[in-house]
Amino acid sequence: MPRVAFHTLGCKVNFYETEGIWQLFKNEGYEQVDFESPADVYLINTCTVTNTGDKKSRQVIRRAIRRNPEAIVAVTGCYAQTSPAEVAAIPGVDIVIGTQDRDRIIPLVNRFRQEREPINAVRNIMKAREFEELNVPEFADRTRGFLKIQEGCNNFCTFCIIPWSRGLLRSRKPESVLQQARQLVDGGYQEIVLTGIHTGGYGEDLDHYSLAKLLWELDKVDGLKRIRVSSIEASQITNEVLDVLRGSEKMCRHFHIPLQAGNDDVLKRMRRKYTTAEYGRKIELIHDIMPDVAITTDVIVGFPGETEAMFRDGFAFMERMQFAEMHVFPYSKRTGTPAARMEDQIDEETKNERVHELIDLSERQQLAYSMRFVGQVLDVIPERIVKEEPGSGLIAGYSDNYLQVVFPGSEDMLRKLVKVKIVAPGVNECRGSFVRTLDSAALPLQAAIV
Ligand code: SF4
C-alpha cells in the first residue's frame, strides 16, 4: 500500500483542506503515515499569512525532502499560491498546486511518477469564481465537525495578504453544505463549526441567499445539536443574523468577531469596514439577545502609525467590550501588503510592551467571564483525556459559550453532550464536576469517575 504523509501549517481552513486531500488519497488506496516517517508522497499545506509563515513552510518542505529523497513532494496552500516559483525552486519539490485544483492532486502525482518532470500547476487565483468542493465526511482527530462554507475575501485590509492567496469571495452551494452537515451528524458529530476564509461573508456572491438563510436551514438538520460560526465580521452581523440568534436553539452563545484595533484612526489605516461605535453597537445587540454570550476577538498591536494615545484609546474600548478572550498579535510586516510599505512603523520594544498589556487585560477578562458561570450547569462536549495529569481521570471539552472545562469523567463520554457543573473559574480552562449525560437522569458522581 502506498504511503502518504501530511504537514499542515496555518488556519482551520488549511487543516480542513488537508483532510479533504487525504480523502482523495484514501480513495486511491493510500495509507496515511506520520510526517516523521518514511512515505512515498509528502504533501505540505503551506501558510503565508506572515513572512514567518513562508519561512516555516520552506523548513517543513526541506524536512520532507531530506526524510526520503525518493518520495514525491507536493506543496499546496497559500505560500505555494503567492510564491510558486520560489517553492518550485527548492531542490526536491516535485509538484506545486496552490489554493485551487487540490482535487487534481492524484492525477498530478501519477503524471509525475511517469514523467519525473517537476509540475507547477498554480493558476491565477484572482480569476477563480467557483467554490472548490473538497468533501470531508470525518475528521481523524476532531470531535467537532468543521464545515468549510466559503472561500476567499473581497475586503483587502491593508495588513492582509489573504485575498491575494485565496482570491475573491466564493460561497459553497447551500445544498452541498447541508448534505455535508447531515453526513457529519450521521458520523456522530454533535457540533458543527462553520469555517472559511471570510466565513461571515457567506452568500454575498449568491442570488437571494445569505448566511442567515443558511443558518436557518442548518437549524433544521435533525440530530445537529450545536452550530458555531468560526469567525464573523461586525459588519456582517445583520438583522437577519440577529433574528437567527433570537430564534434558533442550536446557535452557540459564542462569536469570534475580529476587532483588530480599538481606535478609529487605526481602523481607517487598516481599511476595516466599521468604526468602534458600529462595532460596539453590534456587540450590544448580541448581548441583548444572548446575555451570557462569549465574544472573543483578534487584535493587532503596534500597527504602523499607532500612537500611544491611539493605543490608550483602544485599550479603554477593549475594556468596555468585556470580551471573553482576546487573541493579541503584534503587527508583523507582510511583504506585498500596503501596510508593509507604510512609514511610521512601530519599534519591537513598544509593540511588545503593548502586547503584554493587552494579554494581561485578556486574562483578566477571561477570568471575569468564567467566574460568571461558577455554580451553573453547562452542556459540554468532552473532546480529550487530560494527558497533562496522567491517571487523574480528567477529561476536557468546550461548552457552547466556549469555556474549556476540565472535569472527572470517563472515556466513553468523549464526543457526547454532557451536563457539567462549573466549580472553579480559570484563564484558558475552568474546573467542573460531571452531572449527567443529556440522555440520562443525574448519575451518582462516583459511578462516573474512571
Ligand atoms: S477580512 Fe481582512 S483580514 Fe480578514 S481575510 Fe479579508 S482581508 Fe484578510
Side-chain angles (χ1 to χ4, degrees):
M1 195 186 264
R3 299 156 302 169
V4 61
F6 299 95
H7 189 101
T8 306
L9 297 107
C11 65
K12 288 193 189 91
V13 171
N14 254 15
F15 281 90
Y16 177 94
E17 290 166 351
T18 300
E19 293 278 357
I21 298 169
W22 158 233
Q23 294 297 325
L24 300 172
F25 279 94
K26 193 175 168 188
N27 299 343
E28 289 297 304
Y30 279 75
E31 169 201 4
Q32 185 175 158
V33 296
D34 190 80
F35 193 75
E36 305 312 324
S37 318
D40 304 294
V41 179
Y42 290 98
L43 188 131
I44 299 101
N45 198 354
T46 60
C47 171
T48 195
V49 79
T50 63
N51 292 355
T52 319
D54 294 5
K55 187 166 159 241
K56 283 190 184 144
S57 299
R58 286 193 295 273
Q59 288 167 346
V60 174
I61 293 167
R62 291 199 175 94
R63 230 165 69 215
I65 294 163
R66 281 196 303 275
R67 179 124 318 105
N68 179 3
E70 301 311 308
I72 296 174
V73 174
V75 182
T76 68
C78 294
Y79 175 46
Q81 180 66 48
T82 53
S83 315
E86 212 171 280
V87 173
I90 300 172
V93 168
D94 304 311
I95 300 170
V96 188
I97 293 184
T99 54
Q100 56 185 332
D101 302 328
R102 279 70 54 94
D103 51 1
R104 292 179 52 215
I105 185 70
I106 299 296
L108 290 172
V109 166
N110 294 341
R111 190 174 116 202
F112 180 82
R113 204 169 267 134
Q114 269 153 19
E115 299 171 7
R116 306 307 292 186
E117 281 299 320
I119 301 169
N120 180 345
V122 176
R123 295 189 294 128
N124 180 350
I125 192 73
M126 302 315 284
K127 290 196 175 144
R129 292 293 173 271
E130 288 296 314
F131 178 92
E132 182 184 315
E133 291 283 347
L134 270 175
N135 194 31
V136 183
E138 61 187 3
F139 294 86
D141 55 359
R142 287 181 190 272
T143 52
R144 287 176 286 151
F146 284 79
L147 213 173
K148 183 182 172 187
I149 62 171
Q150 70 76 247
E151 177 64 281
C153 180
N154 298 354
N155 278 13
F156 296 93
C157 302
T158 56
F159 54 83
C160 184
I161 196 72
I162 294 171
W164 305 106
S165 67
R166 290 276 170 176
L168 300 177
L169 195 144
R170 289 112 61 211
S171 299
R172 185 175 180 180
K173 294 190 180 60
E175 53 278 14
S176 164
V177 174
L178 293 166
Q179 190 233 342
Q180 190 185 355
R182 293 187 198 100
Q183 208 177 27
L184 288 168
V185 170
D186 294 347
Y189 292 92
Q190 314 260 350
E191 173 179 319
I192 281 179
V193 183
L194 303 182
T195 193
I197 294 298
H198 194 53
T199 315
Y202 181 84
E204 288 175 12
D205 57 326
L206 301 178
D207 292 336
H208 316 299
Y209 209 80
S210 67
L211 176 66
K213 281 209 173 93
L214 182 73
L215 293 173
W216 278 128
E217 301 248 34
L218 286 166
D219 181 69
K220 297 192 204 97
V221 173
D222 284 340
L224 179 59
K225 299 282 188 343
R226 301 207 306 211
I227 304 168
R228 195 182 302 275
V229 179
S230 64
S231 180
I232 184 169
E233 298 288 323
S235 51
Q236 289 153 348
I237 299 168
T238 60
N239 290 337
E240 291 73 28
V241 169
L242 292 171
D243 285 344
V244 181
L245 307 194
R246 242 179 241 106
S248 164
E249 303 213 330
K250 297 184 181 180
M251 292 302 296
C252 288
R253 297 171 301 164
H254 166 226
F255 294 94
H256 188 75
I257 309 174
L259 172 67
Q260 304 300 12
N263 169 272
D264 288 339
D265 295 327
V266 180
L267 286 176
K268 211 176 278 159
R269 291 167 71 87
M270 289 176 164
R271 212 189 282 149
R272 297 293 286 170
K273 305 273 181 286
Y274 49 83
T275 63
T276 51
E278 287 158 352
Y279 184 98
R281 179 73 191 124
K282 291 291 170 74
I283 303 302
E284 211 179 293
L285 289 168
I286 298 175
H287 275 290
D288 292 346
I289 298 166
M290 288 177 162
D292 285 333
V293 70
I295 305 287
T296 58
T297 195
D298 296 330
V299 176
I300 294 174
V301 178
F303 189 76
E306 182 189 72
T307 63
E308 181 61 19
M310 291 173 186
F311 175 70
R312 291 281 141 231
D313 180 40
F315 188 98
F317 179 80
M318 292 171 216
E319 257 181 335
R320 281 203 303 281
M321 286 302 105
Q322 297 181 349
F323 290 115
E325 184 179 359
M326 299 194 293
H327 301 161
V328 181
F329 306 93
Y331 169 71
S332 84
K333 261 191 190 179
R334 178 56 181 86
T335 316
T337 62
R341 296 188 292 275
M342 288 179 184
E343 272 149 34
D344 41 21
Q345 299 281 334
I346 309 294
D347 64 275
E348 292 307 312
E349 196 188 335
T350 305
K351 260 191 234 174
N352 289 337
E353 283 163 16
R354 291 176 184 173
V355 163
H356 286 105
E357 271 199 66
L358 284 185
I359 290 175
D360 287 351
L361 174 61
S362 174
E363 291 184 352
R364 289 201 299 278
Q365 290 180 327
Q366 269 184 278
L367 192 58
Y369 181 73
S370 67
M371 281 171 85
R372 289 166 49 183
F373 298 91
V374 173
Q376 287 191 31
V377 174
L378 298 176
D379 295 354
V380 173
I381 302 180
E383 16 189 273
R384 63 187 174 89
I385 292 174
V386 176
K387 294 208 172 62
E388 301 82 9
E389 300 175 41
S392 64
L394 292 174
I395 58 178
Y398 287 91
S399 63
D400 77 300
N401 59 331
Y402 216 53
L403 287 176
Q404 178 164 213
V405 188
V406 173
F407 61 101
S410 57
E411 199 162 342
D412 63 358
M413 291 178 191
L414 296 185
R415 299 183 64 177
K416 295 199 180 84
L417 261 172
V418 298
K419 295 230 176 246
V420 179
K421 185 175 183 177
I422 306 299
V423 296
V427 174
N428 296 329
E429 65 177 50
C430 306
R431 292 283 163 151
S433 62
F434 173 76
V435 176
R436 65 181 174 84
T437 57
L438 254 73
D439 52 14
S440 70
L443 283 177
L445 195 52
Q446 205 45 46
I449 296 180
V450 275

